[in-house]
Amino acid sequence: MKKRFIAGAVCPRCSAMDRIVMFTTEEGTFRECVDCGFEDRQPEAADMTPASETLKTRVTPTEPDPPKKDDTPQPVRILPSGSGETH
């Protein structure tokens, strides 16, 4: 059995970073914290069913807005610099 450290992983129990190892046995794939001993089984790919639709959130657009493009020429005004003093 070969255990691999997972970079950047945080333990759900003790919040230690970079202390999680993953390994596979005949029972499945597991992750374990080497600091506190937390261990759980990862779901198999067959166990995970894809969501049929995107979850609705406050930032999920209802309909995509068409891109707005304004090619109308706009005049540019150059403002005077003020009192003429240099700082």
Side-chain angles (χ1 to χ4, degrees), residues 1 5 15 22 27 32 46 81 84:
M1 170 177 31
F5 276 96
S15 300
M22 296 220 31
E27 288 98 32
E32 177 183 3
S81 63

Side-chain angles (χ1 to χ4, degrees), residues 30-57:
F30 295 87
R31 64 180 178 165
E32 177 183 3
C33 177
V34 296
D35 280 351
C36 71
F38 169 82
E39 185 176 309
D40 72 342
R41 182 174 185 256
Q42 297 297 107
E44 300 296 325
D47 297 339
M48 300 178 71
T49 58
S52 61
E53 65 180 50
T54 303
L55 294 175
K56 303 291 188 249
T57 65

